[in-house]
Amino acid sequence: MKTFKEIVECWDEQMPEGAEVVTVATPMTSNPNPTPMSPKTLDPSIVAGLEARLKDEYTAHLIYKNAANWCKNVNYKHAAAFFEAEAADELTHAQKLQDYLTQWNVLPQIPVSTVPNTFTSLVDCINASYTFEYSLLQSYSDLQNALDGPHPATYNFVQQFVDIQNESVGVFSDLLNGLMLVDVTNRLDLLVFEQEYFG
């Protein structure tokens, strides 16, 4: 078996007849102190779309914090822990969006979200969560559709959020289906439901 050195030394002899050798020149600059070029960034319309979803993620965080607080206040311990975890997840989603924007040389404008604390029942917490998650799934899907063609990299990036939202809609859909099996006006039934589905 030939060594790499032997292969290189016999390279010309092994070339097929008529084959041409292409020499690739290393680009050189005559300027000893070149000015750094500005890196690419995202179109303002893409930035606006991502920042709108950033606001949604912070809004979701606050919705779940309110739901967790309401559940703690009435001693739904399992549901409180569930909504606390959901609230934390929304912050990781918001951070991913910010990291992507800064990767593309955009300084994210962190939005202010205000969510009134109006929950009055466990059913209310679940209804509101499902409504918001379904709406956010539609928003991410619309954003991704708008990026199909104009910016493939961001199109691919947004896909993970479409998947996350699809899963979240499924989770809350299961909870709503579970509520159909109990008498939601009966406190004992709701306590059993909470322990079964959030435990």
Side-chain angles (χ1 to χ4, degrees):
M1 185 170 191
K2 292 184 178 180
T3 65
F4 178 74
K5 182 178 179 182
E6 291 171 334
I7 291 173
V8 171
E9 289 173 349
C10 301
W11 185 258
D12 290 337
E13 299 171 8
Q14 298 176 12
M15 289 288 290
E17 189 175 333
E20 294 183 15
V21 176
V22 178
T23 303
V24 179
T26 303
M28 299 293 287
T29 177
S30 58
N31 186 351
N33 297 307
T35 302
M37 63 187 296
S38 297
K40 302 291 185 182
T41 188
L42 296 171
D43 185 86
S45 64
I46 297 176
V47 174
L50 292 174
E51 287 183 341
R53 300 294 72 77
L54 179 59
K55 182 176 183 178
D56 288 340
E57 296 294 352
Y58 279 118
T59 300
H61 168 73
L62 295 176
I63 288 172
Y64 290 135
K65 286 297 291 184
N66 281 340
N69 289 338
W70 186 89
C71 290
K72 286 178 185 176
N73 197 46
V74 296
N75 211 28
Y76 281 133
K77 295 179 180 178
H78 300 296
F82 169 84
F83 284 116
E84 283 287 3
E86 290 294 307
D89 278 348
E90 301 306 333
L91 290 182
T92 65
H93 304 162
Q95 189 60 55
K96 285 182 180 180
L97 288 165
Q98 291 170 87
D99 289 344
Y100 186 78
L101 286 165
T102 56
Q103 170 192 325
W104 276 98
N105 310 294
V106 175
L107 183 61
Q109 298 303 306
I110 300 176
V112 175
S113 297
T114 303
V115 179
N117 192 355
T118 58
F119 292 124
T120 58
S121 68
L122 182 59
V123 175
D124 192 21
C125 292
I126 295 170
N127 282 343
S129 299
Y130 177 83
T131 300
F132 190 83
E133 292 291 357
Y134 186 81
S135 174
L136 192 49
L137 171 60
Q138 291 180 307
S139 295
Y140 271 119
S141 298
D142 290 344
L143 175 60
Q144 188 180 39
N145 285 335
L147 294 166
D148 188 11
H151 206 270
T154 307
Y155 175 93
N156 290 338
F157 171 74
V158 172
Q159 178 63 57
Q160 66 181 303
F161 293 95
V162 174
D163 292 339
I164 288 169
Q165 289 311 125
N166 191 50
E167 184 177 345
S168 292
V169 167
V171 168
F172 285 103
S173 179
D174 287 345
L175 291 174
L176 289 173
N177 288 328
L179 284 172
M180 302 291 184
L181 303 176
V182 302
D183 178 0
V184 296
T185 64
N186 185 301
R187 290 184 178 182
L188 182 58
D189 276 12
L190 279 177
L191 184 59
V192 171
F193 166 85
E194 189 254 356
Q195 292 174 345
E196 178 68 25
Y197 283 84
F198 293 99

